Amino acid sequence: MKPAGIDFELPASVFCLPTKFFKMTTLIKVEVPVMADLFDKGEKPEYLFWVGSAGAFDDRYKKVTRAFVKILAHLGVSYAVLGTEESSSGDVARRAGNEMLYQMQALMNIEIFNGYEVEKIITCDPHVFNTFKNEYPDYGAKFEVIHHTQFLHKLIEEGKLNLDLDVFNEQKITYHDPCYLGRANGEYNAPRKVLGAIASDLIEMKRNKSFALCCGAGGGQMFKEAEKGNKEVFIERTEDALATGADVIATACPYCMVMMTDGLKYKNKNEEVKNYDIAELVAMSLKL
C-alpha cells in the first residue's frame, strides 16, 4: 500500500504478459486516495476499497491491487483506502479457531468504518467479502459489501465499462470458482459475465460452480502443513484446469491465485499457461 500523496508508475511488464497477447510500454501514474485525507478535506468517497493482507503484502497479489486501482482511476470511481488504518478482517483467525482475536478485529474494524461513515465496501478477497457480508452484521455492522467481480459486472451491465474482445482473441480462458464467492455466497454469474466480455472462448472445467473443487487454501489451510495423502488439493485442481486446454486460468481470490500458480509451477506449465485475476484481465483488455 502506498502512502497518501505518493503516486506510482506501473509499467505494463508488471503483469508478466505473454507476447502472444500484446505489448505495452506506457507508464501509468496512479495516486491512491486515503480515507483520512479525504475526510480532512470534508470529502466522503462512495466506496471504501479494502485492499486486504494479500493485496498489500503478497508480491504477486499486489499486481492485482494495482490493476484494480488503475481500473477505478480510469473510470473515475469515487473511492478511498484506509492505508495504515487497515488491519486484518479476522477471517483467518476465526477459521483457525482464535475466536477472541476475530472478535477483536471485527469490533475494531467496525468502529473505523462507522467513524468514516462507510456505506459500501469493495474487496478482491472472497474471504473478506464473506466475513464482512455474513459475519460482521452480528456485531452491528451495516454496510454493503461488493466483490470486485460483482462491481465490474455491474459497470459492464450499465454500459460504463467497455472491454476489447480482440485482446484475448483466440485465447482460451477457464475460470476457477473460489469457494467463499461461489458455494458460500452463490455468486457464479458475475465473474463469468465479466470474462464473457473479455474472452471469445471461455471454457468450463469439468468440476465447476457448486461442484468446483477447492484450491486447497481456504479455512486457514494456507498457513499449515499439508496433511497425509497421495496428492495435494491444489495439484488436483490444477489438473482440472489444464485438462481444459486453456491458455489462461482466471481466478478471483488471492488464495486461489497462490495455489493455482504453485500448481502450474509444479506441473512445469507456468511458461505456457498463465494465471491472472479477473481484475488483471480487465485492465489488460482496457490496455491500462
Side-chain angles (χ1 to χ4, degrees):
M1 183 91 66
K2 293 291 181 181
I6 296 180
D7 39 60
F8 52 97
E9 294 185 338
L10 303 173
S13 59
V14 77
F15 293 117
C16 303
L17 189 63
T19 55
K20 65 181 177 182
F21 292 125
F22 61 91
K23 186 176 181 181
M24 299 183 297
T25 56
T26 306
L27 292 177
I28 301 172
K29 288 188 176 181
V30 178
E31 184 170 345
V32 180
V34 177
M35 190 69 78
D37 295 335
L38 294 185
F39 253 65
D40 285 344
K41 300 175 185 177
E43 300 175 17
K44 180 183 174 183
E46 182 177 0
Y47 299 97
L48 167 65
F49 172 38
W50 181 273
V51 177
S53 300
F57 297 109
D58 180 76
D59 286 341
R60 176 63 186 88
Y61 215 71
K62 286 178 187 177
K63 297 174 184 178
V64 177
T65 301
R66 293 181 180 122
F68 190 61
V69 163
K70 287 198 291 183
I71 294 168
L72 294 176
H74 172 73
L75 297 173
V77 175
S78 172
Y79 83 100
V81 299
L82 289 176
T84 56
E85 288 187 280
E86 181 179 311
S87 182
S88 171
S89 68
D91 165 74
V92 175
R94 170 169 267 195
R95 308 301 163 227
N98 195 333
E99 183 65 17
M100 179 179 290
L101 178 57
Y102 163 74
Q103 292 186 18
M104 288 172 59
Q105 289 297 126
L107 292 171
M108 179 181 67
N109 289 331
I110 291 170
E111 183 177 357
I112 292 173
F113 297 157
N114 290 340
Y116 287 123
E117 302 173 6
V118 172
E119 297 178 4
K120 299 177 183 178
I121 298 177
I122 305 173
T123 179
C124 298
D125 187 343
H127 299 259
V128 172
F129 172 76
N130 178 71
T131 300
F132 283 179
K133 178 176 180 285
N134 299 319
E135 299 177 357
Y136 273 34
D138 292 340
Y139 302 92
K142 296 179 181 179
F143 46 76
E144 181 183 1
V145 190
I146 308 162
H147 188 256
H148 73 304
T149 59
Q150 296 175 326
F151 179 76
L152 294 170
H153 176 226
K154 182 173 181 288
L155 293 176
I156 291 172
E157 290 288 292
E158 294 173 348
K160 297 177 181 178
L161 181 58
N162 299 304
L163 304 176
D164 187 355
L165 276 171
D166 291 336
V167 173
F168 293 97
N169 186 34
E170 298 182 0
Q171 298 300 318
K172 297 177 182 177
I173 297 180
T174 190
Y175 171 64
H176 164 72
D177 287 280
C179 295
Y180 278 85
L181 186 62
R183 278 191 294 274
N185 287 283
E187 184 56 86
Y188 302 108
N189 185 53
R192 286 173 171 81
K193 287 292 185 180
V194 177
L195 289 172
I198 295 172
S200 57
D201 197 354
L202 180 61
I203 307 172
E204 291 284 2
M205 297 186 211
K206 186 175 180 180
R207 289 182 279 196
N208 63 76
K209 297 185 178 179
S210 62
F211 297 100
L213 185 66
C214 175
C215 74
Q221 297 296 311
M222 179 104 157
F223 306 100
K224 61 184 286 294
E225 295 298 322
E227 298 178 16
K228 292 181 179 180
N230 297 322
K231 185 190 294 183
E232 291 195 49
V233 175
F234 78 94
I235 296 175
E236 179 80 8
R237 188 53 171 166
T238 302
E239 290 174 351
D240 284 354
L242 292 174
T244 66
D247 301 290
V248 174
I249 302 172
T251 51
C253 169
Y255 295 91
C256 296
M257 170 156 281
V258 169
M259 303 309 279
M260 298 304 287
T261 300
D262 284 353
L264 289 173
K265 291 177 181 177
Y266 182 88
K267 290 288 185 177
N268 293 317
K269 293 288 186 178
N270 54 303
E271 291 299 324
E272 53 189 284
V273 179
K274 296 300 179 182
N275 177 205
Y276 291 117
D277 187 273
I278 288 178
E280 293 178 297
L281 296 173
V282 170
M284 292 176 196
S285 180
L286 291 170
K287 296 183 174 67
L288 296 178

